[in-house]
Amino acid sequence: MELRHLRCFAVLAEELHFTRAAERLHIEQSPLSRTIKELEDELGALLFDRDRRGTRLTQAGAVFLQDVLRLFSTLELARENVKAVSSGYQGILRIAVPCGCIDPRLSGFLARCREEDPEVEIRLTEATLAEQVRGLRSGSFNVGFAHTTDVGDGIVAEPIWIDPLVVAVSARHPLLVHKQVPLEELVRYPLVMADPRLFGRSNCELDRLLHTAMGKPGAVEHVASMDMMLTLVAAGYGVGFANAARIRVCHRPDVVTRPLAAQNVTHTTYLLRPDSGADTPSAIPLDRFMARLHAQIDE
């Protein structure tokens, strides 16, 4: 089994069409078919079902694909590590952050990391929650930041920043007559909320309060970023919710915030990391990374 077998398999698994896969690989269809046959003979299992209706992965093929993708991910990490070391770094620390919802405190923390560990290259990647979890399990990421603990097995979610959750409304919204917005008044308006498919269920307590106040689901517009939420709120499409620390640095004169007239409604940012049994080496040991992060919180 050689890397060319695995590359051919991965491309065909993506295309599920021999002609298109061969074109992507810049080879003829016959060599591609031969390569797949060699791989199947080596493994002793069929990887694809082929008939007049098309090409499909078998169950064995689907399982093998996940391992092949992890292998290619590991190879890419090895290539990047070599490039970093050859450029004078000792290695790379890969950090995943939520798409469109980066906490402003992260800038100060990263600046401290660069100052105290200048020999380590730090790379940030915006990723959905599902992409973060996959990357942490495969070793593509060393740590991540998210707003939920619903991350499955093999990942530890540790609370890092806990902030009040505030209501965001347009500058002339009727709810501004309240210094603290009652839930029963708020739910009369459409809501603009983070898409749970991208960020997970980030605030179960808020969901519970809204469900109690509304009785049944009302109009909700799901968005993929803080910027989109603020844009829709400012335009009067609905009422949004935001982390108080994050929205303070947004500088939107057309959006005003108010606290909720409810107790203990907070927004928590969690640090995600592989559990102690996961093999995810990093240039900065994670215990040192965590200690530095906790030191920033204590300050």
Side-chain angles (χ1 to χ4, degrees):
M1 186 187 304
E2 302 174 6
L3 281 177
R4 64 181 179 87
H5 291 97
L6 302 182
R7 290 194 182 97
C8 289
F9 166 74
V11 172
L12 182 56
E14 182 177 339
E15 295 290 345
L16 294 177
H17 192 282
F18 273 84
T19 301
R20 290 197 299 267
E23 290 174 353
R24 277 185 55 184
L25 292 163
H26 305 292
I27 60 177
E28 298 294 330
Q29 185 172 333
S30 294
L32 174 59
S33 298
R34 187 165 56 250
T35 300
I36 297 299
K37 180 65 166 57
E38 291 172 355
L39 184 58
E40 291 178 328
D41 290 344
E42 172 74 19
L43 294 170
L46 286 177
L47 301 175
F48 296 95
D49 281 327
R50 287 154 277 193
D51 55 32
R52 292 181 179 179
R53 291 177 297 177
T55 302
R56 298 176 303 279
L57 279 169
T58 63
Q59 184 177 0
V63 171
F64 187 57
L65 177 61
Q66 298 307 310
D67 290 328
V68 169
L69 294 178
R70 278 193 289 270
L71 173 61
F72 283 141
S73 176
T74 300
L75 289 173
E76 182 60 30
L77 294 180
R79 182 182 292 111
E80 290 179 356
N81 285 336
V82 169
K83 288 182 179 179
V85 171
S86 65
S87 299
Y89 292 104
Q90 288 187 1
I92 303 173
L93 181 68
R94 298 172 177 86
I95 302 175
V97 295
C99 295
C101 294
I102 300 177
D103 194 289
R105 287 164 290 201
L106 189 58
S107 297
F109 175 66
L110 293 177
R112 184 170 180 175
C113 287
R114 296 185 65 193
E115 179 181 348
E116 296 181 5
D117 286 292
E119 71 282 3
V120 174
E121 182 180 3
I122 299 176
R123 293 189 181 178
L124 284 185
T125 301
E126 285 190 303
T128 65
L129 179 63
E131 290 169 341
Q132 286 201 46
V133 170
R134 283 197 300 269
L136 288 166
R137 286 177 176 154
S138 69
S140 299
F141 301 130
N142 302 116
V143 293
F145 289 88
H147 306 300
T148 179
T149 58
D150 186 15
V151 293
D153 297 332
I155 304 295
V156 176
E158 180 177 344
I160 295 297
W161 297 304
I162 301 175
D163 301 288
L165 193 72
V166 296
V167 178
V169 297
S170 59
R172 297 183 179 181
H173 200 281
L175 286 175
L176 289 177
V177 299
H178 302 283
K179 291 184 178 180
Q180 294 184 327
V181 180
L183 279 169
E184 59 270 19
E185 294 293 327
L186 182 150
V187 296
R188 296 180 180 180
Y189 299 91
L191 304 179
V192 184
M193 303 183 72
D195 191 337
R197 294 172 298 179
L198 300 177
F199 304 104
R201 293 290 177 183
S202 59
N203 200 307
C204 295
E205 178 61 20
L206 175 63
D207 289 344
R208 185 188 65 79
L209 291 172
L210 290 175
H211 186 270
T212 301
M214 298 170 76
K216 61 179 181 179
V220 178
E221 178 80 18
H222 286 124
V223 295
S225 69
M226 170 78 83
D227 285 341
M228 179 59 77
M229 184 273 286
L230 293 176
T231 297
L232 294 181
V233 165
Y237 281 81
V239 176
F241 301 92
N243 177 308
R246 191 177 305 131
I247 202 169
R248 275 198 298 267
V249 301
C250 290
H251 306 299
R252 291 288 301 252
D254 51 356
V255 175
V256 181
T257 63
R258 287 285 190 272
L260 273 169
Q263 294 183 343
N264 301 321
V265 183
T266 58
H267 188 263
T268 303
T269 301
Y270 297 91
L271 178 76
L272 306 184
R273 57 182 175 83
D275 65 16
S276 58
D279 183 18
T280 54
S282 62
I284 300 178
L286 290 188
D287 56 352
R288 197 160 97 226
F289 180 91
M290 295 288 294
R292 185 175 297 154
L293 190 54
H294 285 297
Q296 184 201 43
I297 296 170
D298 293 340
E299 293 171 0

